Amino acid sequence: MEKIIKTLAQELNIGERQVAAAVGLLDDGNTVPFIARYRKEVTGGLSDEQLRLLFERLSYLRNLEARKTEVIKLLEEMEKLTPIYRPFRPKRRTRATIAREKGLEPLAAKILAQEDMVDEQAIASFIDPQKGISTCDEALTGALDIIAEVVSDDAKIRKLIRDVAYKKGIVQASALTEETSTYSMYYDFKEPVQKIVSHRILAINRGEREKYLQVKILVSDDEIIEIIKAEYIKKSSPTSHLMENAIEDAYKRLIWPSIEREIRNMLTEEAEEQALSTFSKNLKHLILQPPVKGRVIMGFDPAYRTGCKIVVIDTSGKLLAYTVCYPTPPQNKFDESKKIILDLIEKYRVDVVSLGNGTASRESEKFLAEILKESSRPVSYVIVSEAGASVYSASKLGTEEFPDLDVSFRGAVSIARRLQDPLAELVKIDPKSLGVGQYQHDVNQKRLSEKLSGVVEDCVNSVGVDVNTASPSLLGYVSGITASTASNIVKYREENGMFKSRKEFLKVPKLGPKTFEQCAGFLRVPESSNILDNTAVHPESYDIAEKIMKLYTLEELKTKTFSENEIAQMAASLNIGIPTLRDILSELKKPGRDPREELPAPIFRTDVLEISDLRPGMVLMGSVRNITDFGAFIDIGVHQDGLCHISELSEGFVRSPFDVVSVGDVVKVKVISVDAERNRISLTMKGV
């Protein structure tokens, strides 16, 4: 375990004591959000991201150690316990295996020793028709097969070749078809292994799987063969010509195909990790977008033939009305649809329309922009991503929430609610269905699910959850709460009414002291008479918080700024760690606050732009929709998002787009170019 702790400390660039403390807490059954929030003094303030990475690597290294133990036991049983495992790894029957079975190992050893000539007479002594060796050529071929495998299993040789391939190798993609495709740019593509970026690796991998591309790693075969010869062929070797044949065969038949797979696997793994990181960051910013509170919202799910599904929800998300209208082709019932929408706006006092960005959204947006001008109320609209709405509609949860509502209308409710409270609504949907990155189907799906679920869990717990309104889906992401416990909380709430305090959580079946410890600080009880129950202050720190509130009133705490010296003195007098004290003071400044409210609000639109309206040089406000390794896609009010390439995000060098923007950011951009035929818009954030 000490070795694992040292390895983790080096990999994560943190102290060994921090690692050991975190491992101890994890092994004791504490969750990542709980440790990150309430055990800062113990871990030295490790963040949830650091703890998740530590947990992942800890699991990997422990499994690796278990595998090593198995291998050592296997080698001991084989009585071949050496520092090198590969030569003794159980193999399928190979040409070398067969040659050894025919008794050709002594001949191979003589050639490999390079001390004496190996003439035809020496080779002929191994001819044995009963063993399947009828000629000298057959005997010599078998012996060289054995030498080729010996060379192939040489760890030093493989490392030398691997290093050359990584430093000097070229990734080549070429066309397998003349058909134009999304992979056309890779039909004649070359880039150094060391420089190729992750999204290109994932793209050419997919092109290869779909039979559009042939992909290879190019190296100088002659250079590598010379390296092997230098290691194996002695000066004035009497069997050098035979050794050369065996080495060339070893390289081309055994070593290079294996090394090429290793290099490609390495590139793919690195690309997947980068993609997973991108998905995680995009998802985090997507679900942490600020809620639109206190407004009646109309959900507008656009469509053509089947009509646009319309719903209205109140300020708490309750469904008030639903209907369908046909303002889009082929029906084009403009006037009828206008009356339906304006009547609903008037009747339910709608404040904003949440418009899905799927099929027919462009035509629906034009329709909305025109008719909202005639509304007696000031109504704006916001375009929201409807990714995953159909998944929710057909889900068990969607059915349970709206058993009597048609599937299509459930999607419109989701579109409305994800504007009202993105976090509460989006947790109902598998994170993989939320469209938060490119190539998400090209990465390890198990790793993707684990990574994205971890992100959702961290986001839910960073915001906190109202225990009296939260759905089972939302409660299920709270630290320490399982799906069954979440169901029990909702059932208890339905049978006994709203929770009046955090202490009441302990009355929920199967919510014991350990679960209470893990979840209590993340569950809010706005209806409690104790103001601390509506904060992130953990019950274990209530006595400290109460002592602080005796020293200062809440009004004083809201405006008071404590100096470093005052913080240190207060922490000492209260016998509490400084990080925890800071967290308590922060909560007492704004009891019941929602951290998302400090983020930029979504863009509320009242008019629509056409791509034909855009001109180079125009300056517009936009909202960041998605981020990739090569730039950010920004909604500027036309149907097609514009791309702000990584080189256009800032005047200075940008290592990663995430260093400049996040999903949901409202930014000012300038149009560089417009390609209406290909629906491509190039944007810049430089000089605006």
Side-chain angles (χ1 to χ4, degrees), residues 66-85:
R67 177 61 181 150
K68 283 181 182 177
T69 302
E70 291 175 12
V71 170
I72 289 171
K73 183 180 178 183
L74 174 65
L75 293 176
E76 284 175 340
E77 291 172 357
M78 294 170 65
E79 298 182 352
K80 290 183 177 179
L81 185 57
T82 75
I84 301 172
Y85 170 52

Side-chain angles (χ1 to χ4, degrees), residues 142-363:
L144 296 184
D145 284 343
I146 294 172
I147 295 171
E149 190 166 277
V150 169
V151 173
S152 172
D153 285 338
D154 188 326
K156 180 182 177 182
I157 288 295
R158 296 183 74 85
K159 183 179 184 307
L160 288 170
I161 297 172
R162 196 180 297 112
D163 290 345
V164 170
Y166 183 72
K167 291 174 183 175
K168 299 182 179 181
I170 302 290
V171 178
Q172 180 195 62
S174 53
L176 283 176
T177 176
E178 294 181 2
E179 177 187 345
T180 301
S181 72
T182 55
Y183 308 104
S184 296
M185 65 180 292
Y186 297 111
Y187 281 2
D188 184 15
F189 172 83
K190 288 183 181 179
E191 191 164 357
V193 167
Q194 280 189 306
K195 293 184 178 180
I196 191 166
V197 292
S198 59
H199 62 87
R200 289 195 189 120
I201 287 294
L202 295 176
I204 64 176
N205 284 356
R206 182 191 289 180
E208 183 180 42
R209 282 197 306 275
E210 295 180 7
K211 310 297 184 188
Y212 285 99
L213 302 174
Q214 181 180 52
V215 184
K216 295 180 179 179
I217 305 291
L218 303 180
V219 292
S220 170
D221 294 342
D222 292 342
E223 179 184 347
I224 293 177
I225 289 171
E226 287 304 316
I227 290 172
I228 305 174
K229 286 180 181 178
E231 290 291 324
Y232 268 91
I233 298 180
K234 299 176 182 178
K235 289 183 179 179
S236 305
S237 165
T239 59
S240 61
H241 63 293
L242 297 176
M243 286 297 297
E244 286 178 1
N245 290 340
I247 286 169
E248 188 167 337
D249 177 48
Y251 169 70
K252 291 183 176 179
R253 179 170 61 86
L254 301 173
I255 302 176
W256 180 244
S258 173
I259 296 293
E260 185 177 30
R261 281 194 301 273
E262 286 181 28
I263 295 292
R264 290 202 59 194
N265 287 341
M266 177 201 70
L267 290 173
T268 299
E269 286 173 10
E270 290 177 354
E272 286 192 357
E273 283 304 310
Q274 179 61 34
L276 290 172
S277 175
T278 298
F279 299 153
S280 299
K281 290 173 182 175
N282 282 340
L283 177 63
K284 178 177 180 179
H285 292 293
L286 175 67
I287 63 179
L288 285 182
Q289 287 186 83
V292 176
K293 293 184 177 179
R295 301 202 190 186
V296 176
I297 297 176
M298 175 181 286
F300 194 117
D301 187 2
Y304 288 118
R305 182 181 54 81
T306 56
C308 301
K309 308 306 183 293
I310 313 297
V311 301
V312 179
I313 61 171
D314 69 10
T315 55
S316 66
K318 179 184 175 183
L319 179 63
L320 300 176
Y322 61 93
T323 188
V324 62
C325 62
Y326 300 88
T328 57
Q331 288 90 344
N332 292 314
K333 296 180 180 179
F334 185 93
D335 291 335
E336 178 185 302
S337 300
K338 179 172 77 171
K339 185 176 188 310
I340 290 171
I341 299 297
L342 292 179
D343 285 351
L344 286 172
I345 289 174
E346 182 67 27
K347 181 177 180 180
Y348 295 103
R349 303 187 66 77
V350 172
D351 298 301
V352 61
V353 179
S354 180
L355 173 64
N357 67 342
T359 304
S361 67
R362 188 64 191 148
E363 292 81 357

